């Protein structure tokens, strides 16, 4: 059996999500919880239906409170080490759906400090420039400017730093070492950093001078940070943050997630149509070695990257998706044809996204929090 490893900075191997859920101590999203969400939203987001969001912490508690009239706010973020890729969009698209349905605020953190501290060759200026680029992608998804607050850690430091100190005082080195696996070579900025990621979990409570529940949509790799937040916040008399967690959008290569640190694995939101086309054409496929074999025995959609992309969100129609699955498995559809379906969908999505990204440049000031 292949081993896997998931940390906020690195994902290796083929992730067994059932095992990871147990290891992290998070709860699976079950039918009961889906029905409860549906009661408020009327429908179930594709990401919930297709098992893209699989785990949570205390989402039931947030719903209990919401049903009694207590609002919550959303918090999510991005470590700006490069351009945004398709995988990053998953928690953000979902956050937008929650914002629309529950009419809640979103606090969005851009951690230029984190990426500077953890990436050897990245300057603070480069991280800061990517924060701007990434913010355009967030805005392009259509968040409500009146309810969405985007900030970059170094630009909003005057507000964030004093709150991070409150966290730091309640967190000792042995806990951070145990959670993140730090050692004697770890730079001290990295040891402190998690305090900055905890701050937005209670920032609105500080601003509004009352405790407000926090719900964080994020990829499951970020859970270790919020384990610390959940440990520390009650010590500062704030609520523990709740979370809803997604699995990883696959990279273009065999196995592994789409990752900003592996350029060959990623389709960026800034990619041009010909780049998208050539990347998907070269993606790992579940097709057979020869045309003859493929037609005879069929392909394997379960490991095929183009099919996985359609399943995550590029083919929202369940019936069409099932037909593609069956036809690929039986050999009726060839790998080149399956890839072409995926190429058209991704190109159309990014064409629209890039238009909105361009428009976001004019609107960005409506969203940004500065000291
Ligand atoms: P970062 O920049 O690594 O990732 C941003 C968000 O995208 C998720 N993610 C993915 N989801 C699906 N498929 C993928 N292939 C994939 N790759 C990344 C991440 O889990 C994350 O939710 N330290 C954070 C920045 C941060 C943050 C937060 C994230 C600050 N505060 C609050 C979430 C919530 C980071 O470097 O994320």
């Amino acid at each position: 059996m292949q081993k896997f490893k998931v940390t906020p900075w690195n994902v290796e191997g083929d992730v067994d999500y059932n095992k990871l859920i147990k290891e992290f101590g998070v709860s699976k999203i079950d039918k009961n919880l889906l029905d409860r969400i549906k009661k408020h939203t009327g429908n179930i987001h594709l990401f919930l239906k297709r098992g893209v969001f699989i785990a949570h912490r205390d989402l039931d508690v947030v719903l209990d409170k919401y049903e009694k009239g207590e609002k919550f706010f959303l918090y999510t973020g991005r470590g700006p080490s490069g351009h945004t890729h398709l995988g990053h969009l998953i928690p953000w698209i979902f956050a937008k759906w929650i914002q629309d349905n529950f009419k809640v605020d979103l606090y969005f953190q851009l951690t230029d400090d984190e990426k500077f501290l953890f990436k050897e060759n990245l300057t603070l200026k480069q991280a800061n420039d990517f924060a701007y680029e990434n913010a355009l992608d967030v805005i392009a998804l259509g968040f409500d400017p009146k309810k969405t607050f985007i900030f970059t850690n170094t630009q909003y430091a005057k507000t964030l730093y004093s709150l991070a100190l409150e966290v730091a005082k309640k967190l000792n080195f042995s806990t951070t070492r145990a959670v993140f696996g730090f050692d004697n070579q770890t730079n001290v900025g990295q040891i402190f950093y998690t305090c900055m990621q905890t701050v937005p979990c209670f920032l609105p409570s500080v601003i509004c001078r009352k405790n407000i529940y926090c719900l964080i949509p994020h990829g499951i790799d970020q859970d270790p940070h919020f384990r610390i937040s959940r440990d520390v916040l009650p010590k500062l008399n704030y609520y523990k943050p709740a979370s809803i967690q997604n699995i990883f959008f696959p990279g273009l290569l065999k196995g592994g997630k789409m990752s900003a640190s592996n350029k060959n694995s990623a389709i960026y939101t800034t990619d041009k149509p010909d780049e998208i086309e050539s990347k998907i054409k070269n993606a790992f496929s579940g097709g057979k070695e020869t045309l003859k074999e493929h037609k005879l025995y069929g392909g394997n959609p379960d490991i095929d990257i183009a099919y996985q992309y359609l399943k995550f969100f590029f083919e929202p129609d369940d019936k069409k998706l099932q037909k593609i699955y069956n036809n690929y498995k039986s050999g009726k559809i060839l790998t080149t044809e399956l890839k072409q379906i995926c190429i058209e969908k991704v190109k159309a999505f990014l064409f629209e996204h890039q238009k909105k990204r361009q428009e976001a440049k004019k609107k960005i000031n409506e969203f940004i929090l500065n000291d």
Side-chain angles (χ1 to χ4, degrees):
M1 173 150 295
Q2 206 184 341
K3 283 218 168 103
F4 65 88
K5 190 173 161 205
V6 176
T7 75
W9 301 285
N10 189 23
V11 176
E12 281 167 29
D14 238 343
V15 181
D16 178 334
Y17 288 103
N18 283 325
K19 271 200 185 149
L20 189 64
I21 284 172
K22 276 210 190 105
E23 190 187 308
F24 278 8
V26 294
S27 309
K28 251 189 161 171
I29 295 176
D30 58 14
K31 164 106 178 41
N32 189 21
L33 200 53
L34 290 180
D35 288 343
R36 277 190 79 186
I37 298 171
K38 200 172 167 189
K39 231 173 59 193
H40 298 286
T41 58
N43 65 355
I44 276 294
H45 193 277
L46 194 68
F47 288 161
L48 290 169
K49 223 167 48 171
R50 300 239 170 118
V52 173
F53 276 81
I54 42 150
H56 75 102
R57 287 186 189 267
D58 283 355
L59 179 57
D60 47 337
V61 175
V62 169
L63 288 175
D64 283 346
K65 298 288 169 183
Y66 183 79
E67 284 161 11
K68 288 187 181 127
E70 243 187 277
K71 268 212 167 169
F72 60 93
F73 70 92
L74 292 166
Y75 159 41
T76 195
R78 158 85 179 123
S81 56
H83 278 297
T84 301
H85 62 57
L86 294 177
H88 296 133
L89 297 181
I90 287 179
W92 310 347
I93 291 172
F94 192 68
K96 156 99 169 72
W97 183 74
I98 306 230
Q99 177 176 80
D100 289 347
N101 279 282
F102 291 87
K103 311 274 179 282
V104 287
D105 289 347
L106 165 68
Y107 284 74
F108 195 102
Q109 180 179 44
L110 290 157
T111 57
D112 57 344
D113 52 347
E114 175 193 12
K115 291 297 145 168
F116 170 66
L117 290 165
F118 282 85
K119 294 254 162 196
E120 200 153 348
N121 294 319
L122 193 77
T123 65
L124 198 49
K125 165 86 174 68
Q126 284 168 329
N128 210 262
D129 291 347
F130 279 127
Y132 169 80
E133 295 293 331
N134 297 164
L136 298 179
D137 289 301
V138 177
I139 295 165
L141 295 176
F143 287 99
D144 179 349
K146 290 200 182 66
K147 291 187 174 300
T148 306
F149 309 95
I150 303 176
F151 51 93
T152 304
N153 281 357
T154 59
Q155 313 280 305
Y156 198 41
K158 204 170 157 200
T159 301
L160 301 178
Y161 184 60
S162 54
L163 299 173
L165 288 179
E166 299 275 353
V167 178
K169 205 168 177 175
K170 300 285 181 206
L171 179 63
N172 60 37
F173 176 54
S174 74
T175 304
T176 45
R177 188 180 44 193
V179 171
F180 298 113
F182 292 152
D183 60 29
N184 286 351
Q185 305 317 313
T186 304
N187 74 51
V188 293
Q190 293 182 354
I191 298 163
F192 172 77
Y193 165 71
T194 194
C195 302
M196 293 296 281
Q197 190 154 329
T198 283
V199 170
C201 302
F202 66 107
L203 178 64
S205 299
V206 174
I207 294 172
C208 299
R209 292 167 198 236
K210 66 167 191 198
N211 258 340
I212 312 174
Y213 279 94
C214 170
L215 175 65
I216 317 169
H218 65 79
I220 196 164
D221 59 321
Q222 297 295 313
D223 181 72
H225 284 296
F226 303 120
R227 246 177 267 156
I228 287 187
S229 315
R230 287 168 60 82
D231 187 36
V232 168
L233 287 206
K235 296 179 186 159
L236 296 172
N237 295 322
Y238 295 107
Y239 296 144
K240 287 181 182 191
S243 62
I244 179 154
Q245 311 189 359
N246 62 270
I247 61 170
F248 302 118
F249 189 76
L252 293 156
L253 314 168
K254 184 172 188 273
K257 70 162 195 151
M258 188 167 279
S259 162
S261 33
N262 184 352
K263 281 205 165 74
N264 297 328
S265 79
I267 297 176
Y268 296 95
T269 58
T270 48
D271 281 351
K272 297 190 181 64
D274 56 330
E275 288 175 294
I276 299 165
E277 185 151 348
S278 83
K279 283 182 179 186
I280 297 176
K281 276 190 175 154
N282 289 316
F284 179 74
S285 98
K288 292 281 182 302
E289 288 283 312
T290 64
L291 198 63
K292 195 174 158 203
E293 267 184 278
H294 187 88
K295 283 188 172 166
L296 212 56
Y297 306 112
N300 183 354
D302 296 315
I303 59 164
D304 187 277
I305 298 300
Y307 178 78
Q308 295 309 312
Y309 290 1
L310 295 174
K311 187 175 162 195
F312 262 76
F313 69 107
F314 286 105
E315 181 46 82
D317 184 321
D318 288 338
K319 280 198 188 122
K320 281 190 188 159
L321 185 72
Q322 187 63 50
K323 199 166 161 197
I324 293 170
Y325 184 94
N326 295 343
N327 285 346
Y328 191 60
K329 214 173 160 75
S330 70
K332 209 164 157 190
I333 291 184
L334 304 180
T335 297
T336 45
E337 291 168 319
L338 175 61
K339 283 186 170 174
Q340 202 52 42
I341 299 173
C342 182
I343 287 167
E344 295 311 323
K345 295 271 182 188
V346 176
K347 273 209 272 192
F349 174 84
L350 285 182
F351 178 75
E352 284 305 315
H353 182 82
Q354 286 170 10
K355 268 204 291 189
K356 291 183 201 141
R357 208 176 172 278
Q358 202 55 28
E359 288 160 20
K361 291 182 183 168
K362 290 180 231 139
K363 297 195 258 186
I364 189 161
N365 289 336
E366 294 174 51
F367 290 87
I368 299 292
L369 285 181
N370 275 314
D371 283 312

